[in-house]
Amino acid sequence: MKVIVVGCGRVGSTLAGLLATEGHDVRVVDRRPKAARRLPDSPRIRFHEGNGYSRAVLQAAGIEHADAFVAVTSGDNSNIVSARTAKETYRVPIVLARIYDPRRADIYRELGIPTIASVRWTVHQIHQMLLHRHLSPELSFGNGETLLVRSELPDYLIGRRLTEFDVDGEIRVVEVTRAGRSLIPAHGTPAQAGDLVTFAVAATALGRLRDFLDKELGT
């Protein structure tokens, strides 16, 4: 992909480096020229000085040919203005914006711009880890109604089919990591010692899954 990242702080520079190592072409925009020092030395990364909502700067960064646009500056207003410019003016297929004020997230979502609300996401992750200590949160969808979580399996479940752990509309096993390799379980795949299982679970069913696992994990 050709990706434009607006904001070269810790998040933007780390994201740019990750994308470059995966083979994507990245253009990073920041109004502070010294921010370029954060970027790794890579032929796939180019830095552009200026504001992320300046059309001249965006065009110099190649926005007319961009596959994705990510706004991760420290200012909500800057992020949303640049994101809207990318989406509405240049029709970039994938546009994401970082939002610090979670109250604004729903407004931007109505504009068709997915947002990453730092405070809400962090609080949600901490809350889930405190309440469900054996369940490691991996990803959430929507406003957190559905989650992907991982857990080791208690010994008493070894030998049972992984699909037996599904609860219609609430819990479903979607992946298992076994001996360092990942697989999607078939209907008859049995649980083995050391399995690390990924569950798709409704947030309202986290307590049910926790109780099911904690009972045999000794807590």
Side-chain angles (χ1 to χ4, degrees), residues 124-156:
H124 177 74
Q125 293 290 89
I126 292 172
H127 178 251
Q128 295 304 330
M129 292 179 77
L130 286 173
L131 291 184
H132 312 291
R133 53 195 176 282
H134 290 308
L135 302 178
S136 301
E138 297 292 320
L139 188 63
S140 64
F141 301 92
N143 290 311
E145 298 90 351
T146 303
L147 306 106
L148 288 184
V149 298
R150 307 190 85 191
S151 176
E152 294 181 2
L153 289 180
D155 290 342
Y156 88 105

Side-chain angles (χ1 to χ4, degrees), residues 46-125:
R46 294 180 63 181
F47 181 83
H48 297 266
E49 180 185 349
N51 288 315
Y53 45 81
S54 165
R55 296 191 183 187
V57 173
L58 293 177
Q59 288 174 358
I63 194 168
E64 293 170 328
H65 305 289
D67 299 300
F69 182 97
V70 184
V72 287
T73 74
S74 59
D76 281 4
N77 290 336
S78 296
N79 287 339
I80 199 59
V81 170
S82 61
R84 290 191 67 178
T85 300
K87 182 177 180 63
E88 297 171 6
T89 302
Y90 296 101
R91 306 295 181 185
V92 179
I94 302 172
V95 177
L96 301 173
R98 182 185 192 184
I99 301 299
Y100 285 88
D101 184 352
R103 293 172 298 181
R104 299 183 180 186
D106 292 337
I107 297 174
Y108 300 143
R109 196 173 294 117
E110 290 176 1
L111 296 172
I113 300 174
T115 60
I116 300 90
S118 302
V119 174
R120 175 185 289 178
W121 187 87
T122 301
V123 170
H124 177 74
Q125 293 290 89

Side-chain angles (χ1 to χ4, degrees), residues 121-207:
W121 187 87
T122 301
V123 170
H124 177 74
Q125 293 290 89
I126 292 172
H127 178 251
Q128 295 304 330
M129 292 179 77
L130 286 173
L131 291 184
H132 312 291
R133 53 195 176 282
H134 290 308
L135 302 178
S136 301
E138 297 292 320
L139 188 63
S140 64
F141 301 92
N143 290 311
E145 298 90 351
T146 303
L147 306 106
L148 288 184
V149 298
R150 307 190 85 191
S151 176
E152 294 181 2
L153 289 180
D155 290 342
Y156 88 105
L157 294 176
I158 294 174
R160 291 176 56 179
R161 290 181 302 167
L162 288 166
T163 51
E164 291 182 31
F165 312 151
D166 294 351
V167 178
D168 193 34
E170 294 187 335
I171 301 169
R172 179 158 297 173
V173 175
V174 294
E175 182 271 351
V176 59
T177 299
R178 176 175 295 168
R181 296 176 61 87
S182 175
L183 61 93
I184 297 175
H187 181 72
T189 302
Q192 295 184 8
D195 280 354
L196 184 60
V197 178
T198 304
F199 297 89
V201 56
T204 53
L206 273 172

